[in-house]
Every structure is written in C-alpha cells, then in structure tokens.
Amino acid sequence: MVKKWFGQGCGFGRKNHNGRCGLKACSGVPLSAKRTCGRTKVCSITGDRKHCARLAAMGLYPGNEIELVSAPDGENCLVRVHGGTISIDRDTLDHIVVTD
Amino acid sequence: MTNPIQSYTFALAGNPNAGKTTLFNHLTGARQHVGNYPGITVDRKEGYLNDNGRKITIVDLPGTYSLTAYSAEELVARDFLVNEKPEVVINIVDASNLERNLYLTTQFLELGVPLVIALNMVDVAKTRGITVQAEKLEEILGVPVVPIVARSGLGTRALLDAACRIAAEGNAWQPLDISYGDDLDATILRLVEVITTSRFLTARYPARFTAIKYLENDEQILDRGRDESPAIAAELEADVARVSQHLQKTLNVFPEAIIADHRYGYLKAVLRDGVITHAFDVDRLYTSDKIDKVVTNRLLGPLIMIGILLGLYQFTFSWSEIPVVWMESFFGWLGATVENLLAEGPLRSLLVSGIIDGVGGVLGFVPLILFMFFGIAVLEDSGYLARVAYMMDRVFRSFGLHGSSVMPFIVSGGIAGGCAVPGVMATRTLRSPKERMATLLTVPFMNCGAKLPVLALLIGAFFADHRALMMFLFTMLAWLVALCAAKFLRLTVLRGESTPFVMELPPYRFPTLRGLLIHTWERTWQYIKKAGTVILAISILLWAMMTYPGLPDAEQQNYTEQRQQVMAAYPETMDEQGGVEAKHQVDAVDERAALLAAIDREESAAALRHSAAGRIGLALESLSRLAGFDWRTNIALIGGFAAKEVIVSTLGTAYSMGDVDAEESASLSKRLQRSDDWNRVVAVAALVFIMFYAPCFVTVACIAKESSWRWAAFSMTFNTIFAFGLAVLVYQVGTILGLG
C-alpha cells in the first residue's frame, strides 16, 4: 500500500501548486563543492533531522530552487531562497546535494 | 449603567526581523531595543496601551520561522499562543519578502488562532517594485490584512481597529486545512481520526495541528502526547514512523521537508493569484545582495571590516575629544569650588575625593560613550553587524565557537562599549550546551562600556598620538584572547562536536535618525544611570575604605608641628615688611607654599597608607609589583572586582588623596603621566590585567544564573590568574626591552 503511494519515479507522483515536480530524483554535487554563483536545485539534504527541519522551514528542502549569492568554494556562503538571504556554514553545505 | 471596561491581549508574532519590536514600541510607547539583526528578542515582552477606553496588553513574541519546536524562541511563541490564548494574534509580515514571511502565517492558520496580518514595510516593497494587493490577500486567506509602516506608524490605527474588531467578535478558533498531497493527507486523516475519537491533546491543539506536528517529529508535542496517553501516543508514533521510514527509503527525505514544500507551494499559488505584482524582473538580485557580493567577499570583506572599525574609533576619539575636555574641566571646577566653599573635614573629603572625583571620573567619559554607541547603532541598524557574524563564523568555527556566538561577543563589547550581562544572556540562542558555555565564559573578555573609560584614560595619557590605532589593537587583543581561551576550553573541559550555523541575513536598511538616537540614548542613559547609582555607592564605600581608619593623633600632631615650624620660619608678616627687594619676597612666599604643600602631600599619602584600602593595597604590592602596579593602583583594581567603572573613579580618588597639589586640581590623566609609578609599559600591563581579570559582580551573578556557581567561581579565578600572568609577562618583557 505504502509502496503504491511513494513508489513512482517522481517522488509524490504529482505536481504541486507551482506546477513543478516536488521531489524529482536528481544526482549532483555537495553545495560546498560549487565553484560558481547562480541558480541551482536542491537534490537532497542529509544530517540531523531537527536541523534538516529548520532548513526546510527556511526554504531549503529537496526539490526547491536556490540561488547562490556567493560561491561556497569550501567555505560558508550566502544563498537566496524564497526571497530571503540565508548564510549557511561549511558543515551544512557538505550535507546539501545540488544539481551540478 | 456603565459598560464594563474591555481588556484584550494581542500577541505580536512574525519572522525574525519583520519589525515586531518596532511596532511594539510604536503601539506601547516603549523603548525596547530594536536591531536589524535576527534574534534580538529571545523572551516575550509585555506592554500596555489604552485605546478608546479599552485596556490592551501587547505581547511581543520572539521571532520564529515556524511553530514547530526546533528552538527556544519557537517554544516560547507557541506556548504563549496555546496556553494564554490571546484574543488576537497580530502576524507581522515583511511585504518585501512575503513568500518567506507567510510561511509562518500558514501555521497560525492551521492552529486556527484569530489572526490579523500586518503587512509591514510596504514602503520598502514599493522601492523594490513590489505591489501587494492587501484586499486580495485578505479575501484568499480569510483574515484581515492591514498595510502598515511600523517605523513611521503609518496604518497602525487601522491595524488596531481591525484587531479590536476581531477581538470583539470573539469567534472560536477555526483551523485551516492545507493539503500536503494525497498521500500525506491520507496519513493525516488517519491520525486525526484517532486523535479526535480519543480527545488526545485536543484541549490544547486542534486535531489536525497535532497530527501535522507528529509528522514533523515535534519533540515537545511527542512528549506531551506520551504524558497524556502512552498507548495512543505509541499508536500515532508507529503510524508516523512507518510513513517516515518509507519516505527515507524511497526519497531520502523526512515528512517535514514534504510539508514545507507544500506550504511554500500553497503560498506560491496564493501569491500568484493576483496578490503580488513585480514591476521589475523577479529574478534580479536586489541592491542588498549586490552590496553583499562586495562586503562579504573573502578578500575584500575582512579589509572593509577592519577599515570600518578603525574609522569608528577615529570618529569616536576625534569627535569626543573636545566635549571630554569640557567635562573634565567642569568636574575640575566643581571640585575646586566645593573645596573652597567647605571647611576642611570629612564632608569635604567625601564630596571632593569620593563623589566628584569618583562619579565625575566616570561621567566625564559620557561624550565618548555617546559617540561610540552612535557609531555602533549605525552599524547595527544598517544590517552590517549580521554580515560581521557571517564573516566571523569561519574564524569562530576554527576556535570551537559558533556563528551564534558572534552576537553575544558584540553585545558584550566586541566593537567596544557593550555589557557582558546582556552578552551572557544572549548566549541562550546557542543550542549546543558546550558551545554555549564556551561563549558564556569568554564574552566577559570583551571591552565593555565599563572598561572603555579605563582604555580611554590610559590610551589618552600614554599613547595620545595613536589613540584610534591603540584602541583597535586592544580590541583585537580582546578578541584574540577570548578566542584562544574558548579554544582552550573546547579542547579541555568543554570538548564536543561543533553544531551548524544557518542564519537569515536582514536586508541592508537606511537607519532612521530617530532609531539611531533612541539606541544611542538608551545605552548612554544606562551608563549614566549606573554611574549615578551603583558606581556612586561603590565610590562612597571605597572612599570610606580609603579614609578610615584615619591617622593616629600622634602622627597628625607631628604633621601639625612640621607645618608650624615652616610657618615660623617664613612668618606671614614678611609680606607687609615692604621696602625689601620684591623678588626676594616672592621667592620666600613660594618656598613657604611649596614646603607646606609637601607636608600636606606627605600627610595625605600617609593617611591613605594607614586606611583599610591602603593596607590591602600595600599588602598586595610585593606581588603586584611583578606586573608594575603600585599600591594605589591595587586599590583601584580591587574596586574593579565590583564594577569596572570604579577603576577610573578609584584611581581618581586614590591619586587625588595621595597626591595633593595645592596649585591646581589636575586631571587624573595628568597625575598618572607625572607619577613615577606609571609609564607606557605599566599602562599596557594594567590594561591587559583590567581587560581580562574577573568579570564584575553583576556578570558573575549572571553567569551563575545561566549556568552554575561553580562555573561563575571558575570564571573569576581562571580569568584573574590568567590576566595577572599576562600582565606580568607584558611588564617584565617591556621593562627588559626598555620600552617604559
């Protein structure tokens, strides 16, 4: 039964309100390895559950598009998401995988 | 028959930095500190206003991004809403950043609280080309939406009216159902059924809200559930765990990420429905981001930061120079006047040496404090301090601290002129107990407002040509020592993992003159108030310790005899002898005055030596000489255990009592320059000791309250031993190198 809900390729198998696929499976690189600014999409976020939940509330969750204001290049960086600018530390950047 | 007086409670809630406290101040006439920095309000604050005969209590809640228990702020906000059930929740949203701000709104709607949305900063939104159709938003969300500008007070009347109307209606809470996708919705429906039939936690939360919080793994609600009914809690948890595990396996996400996605999705759909129009390209970077690209640049950023700090110190010292001299001469004049008006005795000594020299020594620095606070207010209100936290996070991390430690450091005087007490309290925002302890124990190393007069006095007296540079170097030294001490603590007693730091950066804003003046004044007033109360009391106590017990009669008699001998040798009648060479006569008068002054000085110094404080100072001198401190400095340093401001005032008293100058009432700075016991090396050693030894009593009590008395005692002993070691090192090396 549960398999039937989630088993399809595109996560929840339906389009959400903004018409894009909520959680399409994607492969990519850790955000900390990004060398350039610009738009990218979050593939997955791992690590402590509570921390992931806080990130989600701030707009950082799989499937969402973000814009790098500064290139991380192994350090902390600034990201624009849902109209706000968020600073993210190095360890968290390692745990966020984005499209290459 | 008269109408009963209506009384309402309105809660102000919203994202960090949305303008809650600004609106709170505007509505209640309060002067709460507002900063362009997230997390200024950690506790809730209450204010009152009388509106057309209605008594309204306004509660300012801490800023949060969600109503799930991820942090202390969120718990405070949510507990207030469900426990106190305010008549209306005024949700302040930043109109220039609606999407993010309305995320919290969706959760208020889900909780069902009576809501009024205050659409703040419509003026900022306009400059960004964003127009929000408030009526349309009101229609879609089903709650009143009032555009306001909290800074100027525009629209607050309409906001109050709307809130009063909702409060008067007194409707029951009506939760909104947001769809989280067919699949999660099915789970929620199952959970809701169990919750409703068993009335599980329904006294506090709507059933659907509880179900969603179970899916979001909200620890507080899970605990409350287990307390209420272990069996039902276990049933709900098992159902949620099944779904959660499956999501993890198939999509590598937890339910809360999917819930967040749908909430943002719901908002996107709401906003796209004609609520918001952009005059410019939506994707363009705003000016704020463009500035950030330069200001937070890896190479340029730190250079700009250093430039700004140096500029701030230069501004402070150069602009405050003349008023500080005025204040000094005013207190000098006051002292001289009182001295002339009153006959010699304990009262004159108390007024001149105790109060005027003591409190005047502290108040004399008010212009300097005022300029420094003004500069810091500009940095804070513009949003630059948040960038400093972002840049410093990298450095802090390598010393075992956290990005959230930056603000407590700055509050404590990281730039100069703060206070360690709010700094220690600001460490509450740190979630990891070990990082919090390391921050809490090292923030007192910063140059707080009380240390500032000492720094200004000694730098002014011994490094007059390089004041801004020396101030900058001493600030850097404070940071270096604090960071190294933190690293030491994190490698020894406070070992542990570092925790992540994610923070929203507020956009740059032009500070308003009113805001700057309020900030500057509130901090300066704190300083003046402390000088007039605590410092006055300690000054009097120290004066008493420096005056009593007085010299034994025999010794006093001895000095009186000496005076009489001088007077006999140079009889006053000499003046009237006339006819003798005028020059010879003037010389004789001068000689007599000089001899009398020397006796006065000797007696005064002997009296100070004989007093309780003098004896303590002398007893410690053999040890303190290692760092170059004479017994009079020791008295001041002992006073500094109570409050650091007292150091300047006690030095003032000690040097005015022990160094009487009949000719002029010289400033303390000049007295120190003239003293044989002081030179540049001693000044640096003293500054190093004063910057790093035991925190003042109030801070120690605060550390004890926030942690334990053991840690407070540790802080006192560790800091004092460390500071003394450093001062000895500075003095010995400096003396060997002949820098004095």
Side-chain angles (χ1 to χ4, degrees), chain B residues 418-438:
Chain B
C419 179
V421 174
V424 165
M425 289 198 281
T427 59
R428 285 184 200 162
T429 49
L430 280 126
R431 288 177 185 83
S432 143
K434 286 187 174 157
E435 283 171 337
R436 178 165 180 241
M437 274 313 300

Side-chain angles (χ1 to χ4, degrees), chain A residues 2 6 11 14 17 39 49 53-54 57-58 61-62 69 71-72 75-76 78 80-82 85 87 89 92, chain B residues 70 97 99-100 246 251 253 256 258 261-262 264-265 283 289 293 298 390 394 431 500-503 505:
Chain A
V2 176
F6 305 120
R14 52 176 283 285
H17 301 277
R39 286 182 169 276
R49 182 168 179 182
R54 276 180 56 79
M58 293 177 107
Y61 51 82
V69 177
E75 286 283 354
N76 55 359
L78 296 178
R80 265 192 81 79
V81 56
H82 289 304
T85 308
S87 84
D89 66 282
T92 307
Chain B
Y70 300 136
N97 193 357
E99 199 176 324
R100 167 180 306 290
H246 187 82
L251 299 165
V253 289
E256 48 267 34
I258 293 164
D261 186 27
H262 275 83
Y264 276 115
D283 291 336
D289 295 311
K293 272 183 184 285
R298 245 176 267 307
Y390 163 71
R394 295 171 222 160
R431 288 177 185 83
F501 173 61
V502 177
M503 176 183 76
L505 292 187

